[in-house]
Amino acid sequence: MGDPRRRIPRTDALLAEPRLAKAADTLGRALVKSAVVAAQDRARAGEIAPEDVAEAALAALPPTASSLRPVVNATGVLVHTNLGRAPLSAAALDAVRAAGGATDVEFDLATGQRARRGRGALAALADAVPDAGGVHVVNNNAAALLLCALTLAPGREIVISRGELVEIGDGFRIPELLAAAGARLREVGTTNRTRVADYAGALGPDTGFVLKVHPSNFRVTGFTSEAGIAELAGLGVPVVADIGSGLLCPHPALPGEPDATSALRAGAALVTASGDKLLGGPQAGLLFGERDLVERLRRHPVARALRVDKLTLAALEATVRGTPPPVRAALDADPARLRERAELLADALARRGVDASAVDSVAAVGGGGAPGVELPSAAVSLPARCAEALRAGTPPVVGRVEHGRCLLDLRTVEEDDDGRLLEAVARCGC
Ligand SMILES: *Cc1c(COP(=O)(O)O)cnc(C)c1O
């Protein structure tokens, strides 16, 4: 018989195995080789049989050459920052794939000359927000604010309410971002109340603009008041409105959430927003506003350092023009249908011996949008220990643990993914 370790196939023989060779064509030889070597090591350690090395290497291969794993978001948080914010629509994914090679992003095929970069995405946004005289796109909303400060307030003052000095996340704060751009912040009012007169008293020859920031990740309730864009626009200096979440028009389920169209109609000179929150698109910073101001932003030297790539432009245009993005579907989902899906899944799991039941749940927008808004939802309730097992599965499923149970909230799971979710739970053996 001899030592079984001598039966472990050699590396080049394994790399020539048809399925592993095919995987090397898409993932690259180095990645496949490291999976092969790891499987050989497991066989040497006696963890697997020498005959199973090829199978083990195949099972350990990642789905793509990127280490980013696709996961099922069952947290009930629609825009989950740690899970990459908005998932892209089918239309956006197709557009990204098509634009991945050489593409006419900055080229006019009719004339053979250079053309305006990203004109399709800009036109789509302009069509969606007809009140904007100009549109520009940068890397994210923080970049949009930076560009406003650099262009309109270098060495000058930005007037802002003390109730709107927002920390975005991960320790990054909007006031510090603006100060880093060389602007001085002129804070007015108090945390809970700021009046138009507070702003008016702070204006002077040094004023660059008045900034309204949507407190998108917290709520101040009780004895509060704030000055609206329309009142501030009457003060005679430009009002820049950071609306945060990227709604282009009002959404009926989110009455308190600002949108670009309403902000412009109220008199904002510029509106800034994120592309990957409620708009449901790729990471991007959207700028809408008066044509001359937008043109000045676009021509600022730093604009070149903030510009987006062709993949973002492709995804953004397709998000606005194409099939509705998952965030929109999640926002518009009918709670009764969510409950039906939860019951179907829980029944199917119970038949397989899993301790599963359907429960009502409350989902949230998350990711800096509609703070405090509760979206009625439904979930599959499982033992708490499932949370860890599900994260370790393929695909990983991320739920939330609440009152000692692991909840898989269906408002953030696309209906087409219910089958995958069922199999993932059944397989994880919890
Ligand atoms: C999310 C958010 C930001 C930051 O946007 P990014 O696109 O992540 O840079 C800025 N302001 C507000 C009000 C936000 O909600």
Side-chain angles (χ1 to χ4, degrees):
M1 289 298 288
D3 188 341
R5 284 179 295 189
R6 301 183 59 177
R7 303 202 312 275
I8 296 172
R10 289 159 40 117
T11 307
D12 34 349
L14 285 163
L15 287 171
E17 200 270 347
R19 289 169 305 168
L20 286 166
K22 186 156 175 279
D25 287 345
T26 49
L27 295 176
R29 193 178 151 87
L31 242 170
V32 176
K33 189 171 170 188
S34 62
V36 160
V37 170
Q40 288 171 319
D41 286 346
R42 291 182 62 198
R44 254 177 237 118
E47 287 173 29
I48 54 174
E51 296 69 35
D52 295 338
V53 171
E55 213 57 52
L58 273 169
L61 286 175
T64 71
S66 154
S67 63
L68 293 180
R69 309 262 318 264
V71 306
V72 176
N73 173 10
T75 61
V77 177
L78 271 57
V79 179
H80 199 301
T81 299
N82 300 153
L83 299 181
R85 289 197 181 159
L88 293 182
S89 66
L93 287 170
D94 275 353
V96 166
R97 183 142 196 101
T103 180
D104 62 347
V105 64
E106 217 175 293
F107 184 74
D108 185 335
L109 288 166
T111 63
Q113 305 289 312
R114 186 181 181 288
R116 174 113 183 234
R117 184 181 175 84
R119 57 208 176 284
L122 296 172
L125 288 166
D127 288 349
V129 185
D131 291 86
V135 181
H136 185 54
V137 177
V138 290
N139 192 43
N140 57 15
N141 192 8
L145 287 167
L146 176 71
L147 194 54
C148 291
L150 286 169
T151 310
L152 306 179
R156 304 178 70 199
E157 288 185 347
I158 298 174
V159 183
I160 184 168
S161 162
R162 292 197 171 86
E164 299 177 8
L165 300 169
V166 174
E167 173 167 319
I168 310 168
D170 196 21
F172 289 100
R173 296 171 168 172
I174 290 177
E176 291 171 3
L177 172 85
L178 300 170
R184 289 194 310 278
L185 285 196
R186 182 75 184 263
E187 298 171 14
V188 298
T190 61
T191 310
N192 57 327
R193 290 176 77 98
T194 306
R195 302 180 181 76
V196 189
D198 296 319
Y199 288 90
L203 299 185
D206 267 2
T207 307
F209 58 86
V210 167
L211 179 62
K212 280 290 288 176
V213 177
H214 175 49
S216 58
N217 50 13
F218 67 100
R219 250 185 4 179
V220 179
T221 56
F223 185 55
T224 63
S225 71
E226 64 169 311
I229 294 170
E231 300 166 275
L232 295 174
L235 295 176
V237 296
V239 176
V240 176
D242 170 10
I243 61 166
S245 68
L247 281 185
L248 302 184
C249 310
H251 190 285
L254 306 172
E257 194 63 12
D259 66 279
T261 299
S262 306
L264 290 170
R265 287 193 184 157
L270 287 168
V271 172
T272 78
S274 298
D276 54 356
K277 292 181 177 173
L278 288 174
L279 182 67
Q283 179 186 304
L286 315 179
L287 281 150
F288 302 94
E290 292 169 13
R291 177 189 297 272
D292 297 353
L293 285 182
V294 172
E295 197 52 26
R296 279 176 62 197
L297 298 177
R298 204 172 74 76
R299 298 313 314 171
H300 191 282
V302 168
R304 182 65 166 78
L306 307 178
R307 82 172 192 185
V308 291
D309 75 323
K310 60 185 178 178
L311 301 183
T312 300
L313 290 165
L316 193 55
E317 180 175 1
T319 299
V320 177
R321 293 222 195 266
T323 50
V327 168
R328 183 50 67 129
L331 212 49
D332 295 343
D334 171 16
R337 177 66 195 145
L338 296 174
R339 179 79 203 193
E340 270 170 32
R341 288 169 57 198
E343 277 165 12
L344 284 171
L345 282 168
D347 287 350
L349 287 166
R351 279 197 300 277
R352 298 201 199 182
V354 181
D355 166 16
S357 56
V359 295
D360 287 334
S361 157
V362 177
V365 170
V373 171
E374 300 189 334
L375 302 165
S377 187
V380 177
S381 166
L382 300 168
R385 63 175 181 276
C386 294
E388 193 181 341
L390 283 167
R391 286 200 310 275
T394 308
V397 175
V398 186
R400 69 173 194 272
V401 175
E402 209 171 271
H403 305 309
R405 298 285 289 178
C406 169
L407 299 189
L408 303 181
D409 194 308
L410 295 182
R411 197 179 263 274
T412 49
V413 177
E414 291 179 63
E415 191 159 344
D416 286 349
D417 277 343
D418 282 359
R420 281 204 316 153
L421 189 63
L422 177 70
E423 289 313 317
V425 178
R427 250 197 327 266
C428 89
C430 65

